[in-house]
Structure formats: C-alpha cells, structure tokens
Amino acid sequence: MSESKLAGQFFDAAIGLLQRVRDEESENIAAAGTAIADTVAGGGRLFAFGAGHSSLAAQDVVYRAGGLALMNLLAVPGVVGVDVMPATLGSALERVNGLAGAVLDSSPAGAGDVLVIISLSGRNALPVEMAMNARALGIRVIGVTSVAYTVETSSRHVSGTFLKDHCDIVLDSKIAIGDAELTHEGIEAPFAPASTVVTSALMQATMAAAAEQLVERGIEPPLLRSGNVDGGHEWNGRVMTEYRDRIFFRH
C-alpha cells in the first residue's frame, strides 16, 4: 500500500510549527520555566486550565510520568472535554460571563501561585476573565495562545481584550486562524488541526525548562515516574507525601 500524501503533509506542517515555536518562543519558554521554578521553590502551587480541546494540553502535564507532581488541573465542570452532553454545551459555557470568577473563588489557587491558561483563540469570556481574576488575586498567569487570532478576530469579552492582554508571560503557538493545516481538492473544509501537538509541546518544553532551573538551584524537581516501571509507585508515593499540601488531585 502506498504512503499517504496528505499524512506526510500534516507531519511536515506540524514539524514546521514545532520548529517555529522552538526558535521564536525560546525566551518566553525560559521565562515561563523560571516562573514555575520560582513558585515550586517558594512553596507555591501550580495550576493549568484549558477549555475544550485546549484542555488536552493542560491535562497532559497533570499527574503523568515525567511531569511535575505539583501541577494541578483547574477544572471547570462542563468545559474540560467532549464528555459533556451535548458537546456544544462546553463551547457555550466558554462564553458565559462570571463563570471564571466563581471557579477561582472556590479553588485553592491564591497569591504567589502560577496558573497556566491555554486557549487557542484567547477570545472567549472564560479564559479572558480567568486571567483577569487570577492576576487580581496575585496569581502569576502564563498564557498559551495563538496571537494571530488577536489580529484577525474580535474578542467575545465585554472588555474587547484577549487572553494575551492579561498574562505575565505569553507563549505563542503560531497556529493559523481556523486550526486546520491542510486543504485538498474535493474536500470542502480545511482539516488536520495541529494545535494539540504544538501546544502540548510548548507545555512540556516549559516543564523541562522549569526542571532545569530547579536543579541549577540545587533543588530536586518533584517529578513523577511511570507506575509501569519497577519502583515507580514507591517513588511517586514519596513525592506525593512530601508535597501533599500542594497536590489537589488526590485525597
């Protein structure tokens, strides 16, 4: 069976985007890593939030092998994934004013913590208000978004602003409007989104930068090991016990 031309084109597109963010966002990634390392070293807590498919990159750094044990998912019921029925409810909730404030007020996040907010477009009320309210509480905000949307779309928040306007550090995923890398004769809609690949890579690169910063300061990064390797469960048990007051995904 011959190779798929379109599959190869998607890999080329994704690799090109990964190279762009590696080269063009290196300073911002280092700054985000430093912010996370500062928070770990200073006794603060780490949180990640994303709505819809943007939540995939947030979930990818929470409770996983090779990840920082202190990264917690700031979940908003109904917007974390496509498991909600109907799935369109999640998109609708992203546009609801006031929801972000209610979530933050009932969360353990507070002054001195870091919140990573992932939103491809950064135009909906939920991520914009999440960033605004978090900073008002003294939480440092790292935004992961596509800056292109701020040029070619309008904000859905009453302020007319985007996520990037309320962040201490912005990581630009470089994803084009519409999040579809390919077109083809006979196929009416563009297809093959790359935002999950690129955004997850940005998140993992930031975690790596944070680990690098910590070890340079003489601090052992609180990383988790795979539970599928010998000794993994024991290792994770020790890490979670040591940092139990800053981990919120377990009892």
Side-chain angles (χ1 to χ4, degrees):
M1 187 174 182
S2 61
E3 295 181 0
S4 167
K5 177 182 178 182
L6 291 178
Q9 288 179 358
F10 175 74
F11 279 114
D12 289 342
I15 291 168
L17 283 163
L18 289 170
Q19 289 175 329
R20 279 195 66 194
V21 297
R22 179 195 64 190
D23 296 340
E24 298 174 19
E25 295 300 302
S26 59
E27 290 185 5
N28 293 328
I29 292 168
T34 297
I36 290 173
D38 289 344
T39 304
V40 172
R45 287 79 60 87
L46 306 173
F47 300 88
F49 164 78
H53 286 91
S54 290
S55 73
L56 296 175
Q59 294 178 60
D60 193 44
V61 293
V62 176
Y63 185 53
R64 66 158 305 139
L68 286 172
L70 305 191
M71 184 60 75
N72 300 277
L73 185 67
L74 186 65
V76 179
V79 308
V80 174
V82 294
D83 57 330
V84 62
M85 291 291 288
T88 50
L89 175 61
S91 299
L93 288 173
E94 288 187 64
R95 305 176 190 180
V96 173
N97 292 306
L99 181 57
V103 169
L104 280 172
D105 288 346
S106 59
S107 81
D113 295 342
V114 161
L115 171 60
V116 183
I117 301 177
I118 305 167
S119 175
L120 179 61
S121 72
R123 67 190 298 228
N124 288 313
L126 185 55
V128 173
E129 288 189 354
M130 189 76 75
M132 294 173 71
N133 290 10
R135 293 181 85 187
L137 292 172
I139 300 169
R140 295 198 71 188
V141 175
I142 299 169
V144 186
T145 188
S146 171
V147 174
Y149 276 82
T150 68
V151 178
E152 301 182 43
T153 69
S154 58
S155 170
R156 288 185 175 136
H157 187 254
V158 65
S159 68
T161 60
F162 289 79
L163 168 61
K164 78 169 186 65
D165 299 317
H166 306 284
C167 297
D168 297 284
I169 301 164
V170 175
L171 303 180
D172 183 4
S173 64
K174 318 292 180 181
I175 299 295
I177 302 295
D179 191 20
E181 294 300 317
L182 302 183
T183 58
H184 190 69
E185 184 178 355
I187 302 176
E188 293 298 320
F191 56 100
S195 62
T196 303
V197 173
V198 176
T199 304
S200 292
L202 275 167
M203 292 296 291
Q204 294 297 347
T206 298
M207 298 304 111
E212 181 180 27
Q213 279 278 333
L214 286 167
V215 77
E216 287 178 355
R217 303 180 195 188
I219 300 171
E220 175 68 27
L223 297 168
L224 297 174
R225 292 179 179 266
S226 171
N228 296 313
V229 299
D230 292 343
H233 284 298
E234 292 77 11
W235 172 280
N236 293 341
R238 289 193 299 271
V239 172
M240 289 188 183
T241 297
E242 182 177 352
Y243 291 95
R244 60 185 176 272
D245 59 330
R246 299 154 72 181
I247 296 173
F248 303 102
F249 51 77
R250 64 176 303 221
H251 295 296

